[in-house]
Amino acid sequence: MLNRYEPCGRYAAKLSGLYLGRRLLDLPTAAPRVYRLDAEKQGRELAREGVPVECAAAAVSLYAKACLLYFRTEDAQAETWRRVLARWASVYQFFLITGYRQQTAAERQELEEKVRCTERRFQALSSELGDAYEVERRRLAQDLHDEIGHDLIVLKLYTQIIGLDLKKGNIRQVRRKLKESISLIDHALQGVRHLVFDLGPAVWNEQGFIPAVQVYSRQFAGRTGIKVRFDARRLRAKLPARYETAIYKVLQGSLANIAAHSHARHVKIALSSRRDSIAMKVEDDGRGFDIEKKLGVASQSYGLRAMRDRIELLGGKIDFTSRRRRGAGAGTTVELQLPLREEPPGRSRDDE
């Protein structure tokens, strides 16, 4: 009978588990509370399985209708059973619907708790990112002061000395100081380039994201002696500006960890795109480390957690795997995936 009604027919197998006949026979002797709890439980189970409440109610009504065919006689016993059947169907429907409501309330409460947890996590992530930006700002200020600031102070002093030597006619000293000044200027320019490439976005407008990553990789290899192989041939999608920033920061963090801890000799960086995602993989052949142990200590996993939080805030995921064996097969892999969505019109890197 259910198969005649859409969409109830597709749920007939699940609704057959109601055991309506047994419940009808048990009704005169069943304890009311046990009967109610049992029916409500079935309502919750049907709701979890995705059976519409109207189909559950229809199943009870159709079963009652089918049973009425057996009570066509006009004797008193048949009339009593007809009334019992009508009451049973009504009460059973009520308890089933109550179970549905209980399940809906439980799901709503669970969803609200997930929303609260998400809000708390976002607040914590916002605080951590704020701390990260503050640490980055202080590091940048310290680098400017220690490297470029020092060079400029010495250069100013040399310029003053050159002026005094010119007045005295000491050309030999002037030549020496000019040569040293040029060296200071070269050192300062090199420091500026390092800071600019650490910042990343400042050079993208001129060179583009991929060339900027290539230059950064070459600079990393030149500074550390670690051979870097960069492959972006499978990257065919245009990256949203916010993805470029996140990927660049994760790459910086990964390479910094490799240089500081891994004792690696080779690094492979691969960028690729699929129809619905962007992926980056950074692999090294270093000595590896215990991922779980590292992440379990907050003070020792700030960089890894910052990478994870940055990617998860964009709806992506990042995995860290590491093997601590000696020789071939050892090393660490950082792999991230970001969902590829259409960039809102008018969005630019300046909005980040």
Side-chain angles (χ1 to χ4, degrees), residues 39-217:
E40 290 175 353
K41 178 182 178 182
Q42 293 223 356
R44 293 193 297 271
E45 291 174 352
L46 290 173
R48 284 195 294 269
E49 292 177 358
V51 179
V53 62
E54 58 269 22
C55 292
V60 176
S61 297
L62 290 174
Y63 184 83
K65 180 180 178 181
C67 290
L68 286 174
L69 298 176
Y70 294 93
F71 303 119
R72 290 181 176 179
T73 61
E74 299 301 328
D75 57 39
Q77 186 177 9
E79 180 62 25
T80 300
W81 273 108
R82 280 195 290 269
R83 287 196 294 267
V84 168
L85 184 62
R87 288 198 303 269
W88 167 82
S90 177
V91 171
Y92 194 38
Q93 284 178 330
F94 176 79
F95 289 155
L96 279 176
I97 293 172
T98 300
Y100 270 85
R101 293 181 61 185
Q102 291 171 350
Q103 182 62 26
T104 301
E107 291 175 353
R108 183 173 61 249
Q109 184 177 359
E110 182 181 357
L111 181 60
E112 290 174 351
E113 181 60 29
K114 287 182 178 179
V115 170
R116 286 193 292 269
C117 290
T118 302
E119 289 176 348
R120 289 194 295 268
R121 187 175 182 198
F122 271 114
Q123 291 173 355
L125 290 180
S126 298
S127 177
E128 288 184 6
L129 286 178
D131 293 341
Y133 289 140
E134 179 64 19
V135 170
E136 186 72 10
R137 186 188 67 81
R138 292 183 180 181
R139 185 190 66 81
L140 178 59
Q142 189 69 35
D143 289 344
L144 286 170
H145 177 271
D146 292 346
E147 295 188 20
I148 301 172
H150 174 74
D151 289 342
L152 291 176
I153 291 173
V154 177
L155 185 61
K156 177 183 176 182
L157 178 62
Y158 277 15
T159 304
Q160 293 172 343
I161 295 175
I162 289 171
L164 294 175
D165 287 339
L166 284 173
K167 287 181 180 181
K168 297 177 181 179
N170 194 346
I171 302 302
R172 179 180 297 178
Q173 290 294 329
V174 169
R175 289 196 185 102
R176 186 173 65 84
K177 289 295 188 295
L178 283 175
K179 185 176 181 180
E180 292 175 355
S181 298
I182 292 172
S183 297
L184 285 171
I185 293 171
D186 288 339
H187 187 266
L189 287 174
Q190 186 178 8
V192 170
R193 291 192 187 99
H194 287 166
L195 290 175
V196 166
F197 278 104
D198 283 344
L199 290 174
V203 300
W204 295 346
N205 291 332
E206 298 178 2
Q207 300 186 19
F209 175 69
I210 297 301
V213 174
Q214 290 173 329
V215 173
Y216 186 81
S217 301

